[in-house]
Amino acid sequence: MDVDITAPTTPTFTQIAPICINSASPTLPVTSDNGITGTWTPAAINTSTSGTSTYTFTPDAGVCATTATMDITIDPAVQSTFTQLGSYCVGDAPDVLLGTSIEGINGTWSPATINTATPGTSTYTFTIDAGQCALGTTMDVDITAPTTPAFTQIAPICINAVAAALPSISNNGVSGTWLPATINTTVAGTITYTFTPDVGLCATVTTMDVDIIALPFVD
């Protein structure tokens, strides 16, 4: 009597590629690439935790085959980050919201551009493009209302008198320059002096009217 002893077949499977955490997972195949049926332990891929887990395939009873394993990796999602923008003064030209994060994650912003028309804080949301194992983010951008420089009104000045210097810093701390730069007392009348805040300050232009009084005529 001739008795045949058959070597067990090793089930083979196409390796499942790394899966992003919390993504929908593919189904583990119940039939191997070389035709062996069986079951897996665990029965389904768990994507709730990042890391590598081993899944074991056990052939059905009566099938001359060995068990097989597959290591499946769950990748953590990368947090997208950006350089903080702002704050801006009302009316400033804002920076562009970049479509690629510091980590190289691509996506889109909503709203797509920063609005500096009104003061306040607005939230901009970055949503990643499909197919990336990453997380979106938000950015709060502050828009500041400009400060109006305040000055103590200069009292009327007698013609040809020595005038005080126009202050280069306002009562509320805004620095800048005047035009004209000095008070002219050689001509009677009212002259308007314009104060322009220094570059980079969130402040408005303001003016001051200074009266030069003529000497009374004595008969």
Side-chain angles (χ1 to χ4, degrees):
M1 180 184 296
D2 292 334
V3 179
D4 292 329
I5 307 300
T6 303
T9 302
T10 300
T12 59
F13 295 90
T14 301
Q15 176 65 46
I16 293 176
I19 304 167
C20 186
I21 192 168
N22 293 323
S23 294
S25 62
T27 301
L28 289 164
V30 295
T31 302
S32 71
D33 294 343
N34 51 348
I36 298 167
T37 59
T39 55
W40 289 90
T41 303
I45 300 171
N46 177 13
T47 66
S48 63
T49 305
S50 62
T52 300
S53 299
T54 300
Y55 293 79
T56 302
F57 179 80
T58 302
D60 289 337
V63 177
C64 186
T66 63
T67 60
T69 61
M70 184 187 296
D71 290 340
I72 298 175
T73 299
I74 307 301
D75 287 335
V78 178
Q79 177 63 61
S80 52
T81 61
F82 293 86
T83 301
Q84 176 65 47
L85 300 180
S87 63
Y88 299 99
C89 189
V90 167
D92 280 353
D95 295 294
V96 174
L97 289 165
L98 299 178
T100 303
S101 75
I102 294 171
E103 300 76 15
I105 299 163
N106 298 318
T108 55
W109 288 92
S110 180
T113 57
I114 297 173
N115 180 9
T116 64
T118 55
T121 300
S122 298
T123 299
Y124 295 80
T125 301
F126 180 75
T127 302
I128 65 168
D129 291 341
Q132 301 173 102
C133 190
L135 300 173
T137 190
T138 60
M139 185 187 295
D140 290 339
V141 179
D142 294 328
I143 309 301
T144 304
T147 301
T148 300
F151 294 92
T152 301
Q153 175 64 48
I154 294 176
I157 305 169
C158 190
I159 193 169
N160 293 322
V162 176
L166 289 163
S168 60
I169 299 177
S170 71
N171 296 342
N172 50 349
V174 179
S175 61
T177 55
W178 289 92
L179 190 67
T182 58
I183 297 174
N184 178 14
T185 64
T186 62
V187 180
T190 300
I191 301 175
T192 299
Y193 294 81
T194 301
F195 180 81
T196 302
D198 289 337
V199 175
L201 298 180
C202 187
T204 60
V205 172
T206 192
T207 61
M208 183 189 295
D209 290 339
V210 179
D211 293 329
I212 308 301
I213 301 173
L215 292 172
F217 179 76
V218 178
D219 190 358

